[in-house]
Amino acid sequence: RQGPDGYLYIGMGDGGAAGDPQGNAQNMNTLLGKILRIDVDNAADGKPYGIPAGNAPGGQPEIWALGLRNPWRFSFDRATGEMLIGDVGQGAWEEIDILPNGILGGINLGWDYYEGTHAYEGSAPDSASLVYPVIEYGHGNGNCSVSGGYTYRGAQLPEFQGVYLYGDYCSGTVWGALPGPDGAWQTGQLFQLNARIASFGEDEAGELYVVDLQGTIYQ
Protein backbone atom coordinates (compact mmCIF):
# COMPACT_ATOMS: atom_id res chain seq x y z
CA ARG A 1 0.00 0.00 0.00
CA GLN A 2 1.28 3.48 -0.83
CA GLY A 3 1.90 5.68 2.18
CA PRO A 4 1.44 9.45 2.42
CA ASP A 5 5.18 9.81 1.75
CA GLY A 6 4.78 8.11 -1.64
CA TYR A 7 6.68 4.96 -0.64
CA LEU A 8 5.34 1.41 -0.81
CA TYR A 9 4.58 -0.28 2.52
CA ILE A 10 4.36 -4.08 2.75
CA GLY A 11 2.98 -6.11 5.67
CA MET A 12 4.71 -9.41 6.44
CA GLY A 13 3.53 -12.13 8.82
CA ASP A 14 6.01 -13.87 11.11
CA GLY A 15 6.00 -17.04 8.98
CA GLY A 16 4.44 -19.37 11.60
CA ALA A 17 4.14 -21.75 13.28
CA ALA A 18 2.25 -20.97 16.48
CA GLY A 19 4.07 -18.64 18.83
CA ASP A 20 6.73 -17.58 16.31
CA PRO A 21 9.16 -20.38 17.31
CA GLN A 22 11.88 -19.00 15.05
CA GLY A 23 11.69 -15.57 16.69
CA ASN A 24 11.26 -13.89 13.31
CA ALA A 25 9.18 -10.92 14.47
CA GLN A 26 12.01 -9.63 16.66
CA ASN A 27 14.85 -10.64 14.33
CA MET A 28 16.09 -7.71 12.26
CA ASN A 29 17.89 -10.07 9.88
CA THR A 30 14.64 -11.41 8.41
CA LEU A 31 11.79 -9.57 6.69
CA LEU A 32 9.15 -11.73 8.42
CA GLY A 33 6.96 -10.18 11.11
CA LYS A 34 7.62 -6.66 9.84
CA ILE A 35 6.26 -3.67 7.96
CA LEU A 36 8.60 -2.96 5.05
CA ARG A 37 9.04 0.34 3.23
CA ILE A 38 10.62 0.66 -0.21
CA ASP A 39 10.99 3.23 -2.98
CA VAL A 40 9.71 1.62 -6.18
CA ASP A 41 10.53 4.70 -8.27
CA ASN A 42 14.28 4.67 -7.67
CA ALA A 43 16.15 1.40 -8.15
CA ALA A 44 19.46 1.09 -6.34
CA ASP A 45 22.18 -1.39 -5.43
CA GLY A 46 21.14 -3.90 -8.07
CA LYS A 47 17.57 -4.17 -6.75
CA PRO A 48 14.40 -3.04 -8.57
CA TYR A 49 13.72 -0.56 -5.75
CA GLY A 50 15.51 1.83 -3.43
CA ILE A 51 15.60 2.17 0.34
CA PRO A 52 14.09 5.39 1.72
CA ALA A 53 15.93 7.33 4.37
CA GLY A 54 14.47 6.84 7.83
CA ASN A 55 13.88 3.09 7.78
CA ALA A 56 14.75 1.06 10.88
CA PRO A 57 18.48 1.12 11.70
CA GLY A 58 20.40 -2.15 11.52
CA GLY A 59 19.33 -5.45 10.00
CA GLN A 60 17.61 -5.71 6.63
CA PRO A 61 17.32 -2.23 5.10
CA GLU A 62 13.72 -2.70 3.91
CA ILE A 63 12.42 -2.94 7.50
CA TRP A 64 10.39 -0.01 8.77
CA ALA A 65 8.59 -1.54 11.80
CA LEU A 66 8.97 -4.84 13.63
CA GLY A 67 7.21 -7.02 16.17
CA LEU A 68 4.12 -8.01 14.17
CA ARG A 69 2.44 -11.41 14.01
CA ASN A 70 0.11 -11.03 11.03
CA PRO A 71 -0.78 -7.47 9.93
CA TRP A 72 -4.21 -8.14 8.37
CA ARG A 73 -4.65 -5.47 7.25
CA PHE A 74 -3.22 -1.96 7.49
CA SER A 75 -4.36 1.34 6.00
CA PHE A 76 -3.53 5.03 6.05
CA ASP A 77 -6.00 7.67 7.17
CA ARG A 78 -6.31 9.90 4.11
CA ALA A 79 -6.83 12.96 6.34
CA THR A 80 -4.09 12.49 8.95
CA GLY A 81 -1.67 10.10 7.24
CA GLU A 82 -1.48 7.87 10.32
CA MET A 83 -1.11 4.12 9.80
CA LEU A 84 -3.72 1.83 11.39
CA ILE A 85 -2.85 -1.86 11.64
CA GLY A 86 -5.03 -4.84 12.48
CA ASP A 87 -2.55 -7.40 13.85
CA VAL A 88 -3.99 -10.90 14.21
CA GLY A 89 -3.29 -12.49 17.59
CA GLN A 90 -2.06 -15.97 18.40
CA GLY A 91 -4.87 -17.52 20.40
CA ALA A 92 -6.39 -15.03 22.82
CA TRP A 93 -6.08 -11.34 21.84
CA GLU A 94 -6.59 -9.29 18.67
CA GLU A 95 -5.15 -5.78 18.37
CA ILE A 96 -5.25 -2.47 16.52
CA ASP A 97 -2.02 -0.46 16.38
CA ILE A 98 -1.71 3.16 15.30
CA LEU A 99 1.49 4.85 14.14
CA PRO A 100 1.55 8.62 13.53
CA ASN A 101 2.43 10.07 10.16
CA GLY A 102 6.04 11.08 9.69
CA ILE A 103 7.69 9.00 12.42
CA LEU A 104 11.07 7.37 11.83
CA GLY A 105 11.36 3.63 11.31
CA GLY A 106 12.28 1.18 14.04
CA ILE A 107 8.96 1.07 15.93
CA ASN A 108 8.59 -2.25 17.78
CA LEU A 109 4.98 -3.44 18.15
CA GLY A 110 5.88 -6.11 20.67
CA TRP A 111 5.13 -9.57 19.28
CA ASP A 112 6.06 -12.14 20.53
CA TYR A 113 6.96 -10.59 23.86
CA TYR A 114 3.32 -9.52 24.00
CA GLU A 115 0.03 -10.61 22.48
CA GLY A 116 -1.89 -7.36 22.59
CA THR A 117 -0.98 -5.85 25.96
CA HIS A 118 -0.57 -9.27 27.57
CA ALA A 119 2.82 -10.87 28.22
CA TYR A 120 3.32 -13.84 25.91
CA GLU A 121 6.89 -15.12 25.74
CA GLY A 122 10.22 -13.93 27.08
CA SER A 123 11.15 -10.44 28.23
CA ALA A 124 11.89 -7.49 26.01
CA PRO A 125 15.39 -6.05 26.43
CA ASP A 126 15.67 -2.71 28.18
CA SER A 127 16.69 -1.14 24.87
CA ALA A 128 13.39 -2.11 23.21
CA SER A 129 10.92 0.76 23.13
CA LEU A 130 7.64 -1.07 22.61
CA VAL A 131 4.47 0.52 21.23
CA TYR A 132 1.31 -1.08 22.61
CA PRO A 133 -2.03 -1.38 20.79
CA VAL A 134 -4.66 1.32 21.20
CA ILE A 135 -7.44 -1.30 20.98
CA GLU A 136 -7.57 -5.00 21.81
CA TYR A 137 -10.33 -7.56 22.15
CA GLY A 138 -10.46 -11.18 23.24
CA HIS A 139 -11.63 -14.41 21.70
CA GLY A 140 -15.11 -14.41 23.18
CA ASN A 141 -18.50 -14.03 21.47
CA GLY A 142 -17.31 -15.91 18.40
CA ASN A 143 -14.34 -13.64 17.71
CA CYS A 144 -11.13 -15.17 16.38
CA SER A 145 -9.22 -12.94 13.96
CA VAL A 146 -9.15 -9.18 13.39
CA SER A 147 -9.51 -7.67 9.92
CA GLY A 148 -8.21 -4.12 9.96
CA GLY A 149 -10.20 -1.54 8.03
CA TYR A 150 -10.18 2.17 7.26
CA THR A 151 -10.94 5.52 8.78
CA TYR A 152 -14.12 6.77 7.15
CA ARG A 153 -13.59 9.96 5.11
CA GLY A 154 -16.53 9.69 2.72
CA ALA A 155 -19.63 11.85 2.29
CA GLN A 156 -22.54 9.42 2.35
CA LEU A 157 -22.40 8.83 6.13
CA PRO A 158 -21.44 12.13 7.79
CA GLU A 159 -22.06 10.69 11.26
CA PHE A 160 -19.22 8.21 10.60
CA GLN A 161 -16.70 10.94 9.69
CA GLY A 162 -13.34 10.13 11.29
CA VAL A 163 -14.47 6.75 12.65
CA TYR A 164 -12.05 3.86 12.15
CA LEU A 165 -13.94 0.70 11.11
CA TYR A 166 -12.56 -2.78 11.70
CA GLY A 167 -14.08 -6.25 12.01
CA ASP A 168 -13.63 -9.86 13.02
CA TYR A 169 -13.35 -12.67 10.49
CA CYS A 170 -15.29 -15.26 12.51
CA SER A 171 -18.01 -13.28 14.27
CA GLY A 172 -18.85 -10.83 11.48
CA THR A 173 -18.84 -7.97 13.98
CA VAL A 174 -17.83 -4.52 12.74
CA TRP A 175 -16.68 -1.96 15.29
CA GLY A 176 -16.03 1.76 15.05
CA ALA A 177 -13.34 3.55 17.02
CA LEU A 178 -12.52 7.19 17.76
CA PRO A 179 -9.90 8.88 19.95
CA GLY A 180 -11.49 10.42 23.03
CA PRO A 181 -10.74 13.83 24.55
CA ASP A 182 -7.91 12.31 26.60
CA GLY A 183 -6.38 10.64 23.54
CA ALA A 184 -7.51 7.15 24.57
CA TRP A 185 -9.38 5.30 21.85
CA GLN A 186 -13.03 4.42 22.42
CA THR A 187 -14.66 1.63 20.47
CA GLY A 188 -18.16 0.24 20.06
CA GLN A 189 -20.03 -2.23 17.89
CA LEU A 190 -21.57 -0.67 14.78
CA PHE A 191 -23.28 -3.66 13.19
CA GLN A 192 -23.25 -7.43 12.80
CA LEU A 193 -22.92 -9.22 9.46
CA ASN A 194 -23.49 -12.83 8.53
CA ALA A 195 -20.09 -12.74 6.90
CA ARG A 196 -16.53 -13.96 7.07
CA ILE A 197 -14.89 -10.54 7.05
CA ALA A 198 -11.73 -11.02 5.01
CA SER A 199 -10.96 -7.41 4.16
CA PHE A 200 -12.18 -3.83 3.84
CA GLY A 201 -11.91 -1.56 0.84
CA GLU A 202 -11.98 2.18 0.17
CA ASP A 203 -12.94 3.90 -3.08
CA GLU A 204 -11.71 7.23 -4.44
CA ALA A 205 -14.53 9.10 -2.69
CA GLY A 206 -13.64 7.62 0.70
CA GLU A 207 -16.64 5.28 0.87
CA LEU A 208 -16.00 1.93 2.51
CA TYR A 209 -16.69 -1.69 1.60
CA VAL A 210 -16.57 -4.99 3.47
CA VAL A 211 -15.36 -8.14 1.72
CA ASP A 212 -17.05 -11.41 2.74
CA LEU A 213 -14.95 -14.48 1.96
CA GLN A 214 -18.22 -16.27 1.17
CA GLY A 215 -18.63 -14.10 -1.94
CA THR A 216 -20.42 -10.87 -1.01
CA ILE A 217 -19.17 -7.28 -0.97
CA TYR A 218 -21.02 -4.89 1.33
CA GLN A 219 -21.00 -1.11 1.05
Side-chain angles (χ1 to χ4, degrees):
R1 184 174 303 278
Q2 185 181 38
D5 54 10
Y7 298 127
L8 180 64
Y9 289 74
I10 305 164
M12 299 287 287
D14 67 12
D20 192 14
Q22 304 302 316
N24 290 327
Q26 294 294 326
N27 181 357
M28 292 293 288
N29 292 315
T30 176
L31 302 181
L32 296 173
K34 313 294 191 302
I35 298 286
L36 314 180
R37 186 177 72 146
I38 60 175
D39 181 356
V40 299
D41 295 319
N42 294 286
D45 300 325
K47 296 181 179 180
Y49 55 83
I51 302 298
N55 276 9
Q60 297 295 314
E62 294 90 347
I63 296 173
W64 186 73
L66 67 152
L68 296 109
R69 183 179 177 274
N70 180 14
W72 191 275
R73 306 178 177 259
F74 68 88
S75 64
F76 294 95
D77 185 334
R78 60 169 60 191
T80 68
E82 63 188 2
M83 175 188 279
L84 301 102
I85 308 167
D87 197 18
V88 177
Q90 177 58 59
W93 296 97
E94 306 298 307
E95 69 180 76
I96 301 293
D97 302 290
I98 298 181
L99 301 179
N101 185 20
I103 61 172
L104 293 175
I107 295 294
N108 190 334
L109 296 172
W111 173 253
D112 66 343
Y113 299 127
Y114 288 87
E115 182 186 13
T117 62
H118 305 265
Y120 185 83
E121 183 176 47
S123 298
D126 293 339
S127 59
S129 180
L130 303 183
V131 173
Y132 294 94
V134 297
I135 299 167
E136 66 176 358
Y137 68 90
H139 284 191
N141 301 315
N143 297 316
C144 77
S145 180
V146 69
S147 293
Y150 289 84
T151 301
Y152 183 78
R153 298 295 180 187
Q156 294 184 16
L157 298 170
E159 65 275 19
F160 278 21
Q161 190 65 216
V163 175
Y164 174 69
L165 278 73
Y166 64 101
D168 188 87
Y169 170 76
C170 287
S171 70
T173 304
V174 175
W175 295 273
L178 278 171
D182 60 354
W185 280 71
Q186 304 171 0
T187 186
Q189 181 175 328
L190 295 180
F191 47 87
Q192 189 84 30
L193 297 173
N194 181 23
R196 294 289 190 180
I197 299 176
S199 188
F200 289 76
E202 181 186 42
D203 65 20
E204 292 182 351
E207 304 302 333
L208 299 188
Y209 303 82
V210 181
V211 179
D212 177 4
L213 196 63
Q214 300 168 114
T216 302
I217 296 177
Y218 299 89
Q219 182 179 16

